[in-house]
Amino acid sequence: MQIITTKAELERSIQACKMSGQTVGLVPTMGALHEGHASLVRRSVSENDVTVVSVFVNPTQFNNKEDLAKYPRSLERDAELLDSIGAQFMFAPVPEEMYTAEEMNEPFRFEFDGLDKVMEGKMRPGHFNGVVQVVSRLFYLVQPDRAYFGEKDFQQLAIIHYMVERSTLAGTFGKLQVIGCPIVREASGLALSSRNERLSAEEKQTALNISKVLFASLEWAKQPLASVPEVQQRVIDAINAVPGLEVEYYEIVDQSSLLPTDTFKHAIGCVTVYCGPVRLIDNIKYD
Ligand code: PAF
């Protein structure tokens, strides 16, 4: 596997692959790779001739400096994992390679028709703007045939779909296919996340109650008189009842519009929970 740190070298290498007719898959990541990322890379390796994995802790999507500073980084371990899976390129630039000082401080403002104003977007203003800033740049540089994202960040995936659908109208990203891949969980049910590295063994035991409650809520939703507001509140109460967990939000929304819904049809419940100081997210589809 080749490790690339500059945009120019990335574009040159990809151009050479494209010239020989090879298809290209892209897996954008912020590193600290785990089995969830590995599942995306494996899928890309199986569906494309060439796989590029970006490893870049994107400063413009963090609205909390401490969160950015504490984000786990493990470049060497990441490179070993990617090499063992069969990725051809790891793109690991420094922030100055990706952005000018102006772009870093005053990013271009994207418009997402309100998809960025709910849930994560409401709690982390500007977060999705930063995500799309880096993802669209990666799309321009790599011009991938397929790009892979995990469904754990469901709102992020919805926003990237929206961005690509609109750009495709203008022909910007050609025939790019955005592919959402299922959440990978530990045997305990805990959704894999780079942030789990910051949990102590005890906190990890506590955190597994998040998915336990979400899975229980599938049954609650099947009760004859179950309503969305009642199940929503029951999930919040059950998670908050676990010492060490505190729900920031739990919202049952329509999977396409991300707006509140009064039916479990095509609905998804998205949760953010503090486990001690660590902010974890998870979700469950009701239908
Ligand atoms: O999901 C992530 O890890 C990041 O938000 C992404 C898509 C790599 C953009 O920085």
Side-chain angles (χ1 to χ4, degrees), residues 26-30 40 54 58 61 110-117 127-140 144-169 172-181 255-258:
L26 171 68
V27 184
T29 81
M30 296 207 298
L40 306 181
S54 60
N58 174 32
Q61 70 187 74
F110 297 88
E111 179 46 55
F112 305 116
D113 198 20
L115 289 174
D116 61 328
K117 297 287 182 280
H127 167 66
F128 289 116
N129 203 79
V131 169
V132 168
Q133 184 186 21
V134 74
V135 169
S136 57
R137 187 145 306 184
L138 291 167
F139 286 172
Y140 279 114
D145 297 275
R146 298 178 190 83
Y148 300 81
F149 296 86
E151 287 193 341
K152 187 168 76 66
D153 297 291
F154 191 83
Q155 189 171 5
Q156 166 173 285
L157 180 60
I159 287 175
I160 291 168
H161 269 300
Y162 175 84
M163 185 258 292
V164 170
E165 274 157 25
R166 294 190 78 206
S167 314
T168 307
L169 286 179
T172 320
F173 298 125
K175 290 200 214 81
L176 167 63
Q177 237 184 303
V178 172
I179 297 171
C181 303
Q255 287 177 30
S256 306
S257 70
L258 303 184

Side-chain angles (χ1 to χ4, degrees), residues 131-257:
V131 169
V132 168
Q133 184 186 21
V134 74
V135 169
S136 57
R137 187 145 306 184
L138 291 167
F139 286 172
Y140 279 114
L141 288 170
V142 177
Q143 298 285 324
D145 297 275
R146 298 178 190 83
Y148 300 81
F149 296 86
E151 287 193 341
K152 187 168 76 66
D153 297 291
F154 191 83
Q155 189 171 5
Q156 166 173 285
L157 180 60
I159 287 175
I160 291 168
H161 269 300
Y162 175 84
M163 185 258 292
V164 170
E165 274 157 25
R166 294 190 78 206
S167 314
T168 307
L169 286 179
T172 320
F173 298 125
K175 290 200 214 81
L176 167 63
Q177 237 184 303
V178 172
I179 297 171
C181 303
I183 297 178
V184 179
R185 297 181 182 278
E186 288 190 357
S188 68
L190 178 67
L192 295 191
S193 164
S194 304
R195 290 171 197 266
N196 293 356
E197 285 187 20
R198 291 176 52 205
L199 297 172
S200 66
E202 197 183 320
E203 283 170 337
K204 242 181 160 183
Q205 277 303 111
T206 305
L208 61 86
N209 287 290
I210 302 168
S211 56
K212 228 181 193 167
V213 173
L214 292 184
F215 283 116
S217 77
L218 290 178
E219 294 309 310
W220 304 341
K222 284 185 196 145
Q223 301 303 311
L225 293 176
S227 73
V228 168
E230 178 232 328
V231 170
Q232 199 165 277
Q233 194 57 48
R234 199 167 162 190
V235 167
I236 294 172
D237 293 344
I239 297 178
N240 281 339
V242 178
L245 294 183
E246 195 184 336
V247 175
E248 187 175 59
Y249 65 80
Y250 182 60
E251 291 193 28
I252 298 178
V253 296
D254 177 78
Q255 287 177 30
S256 306
S257 70

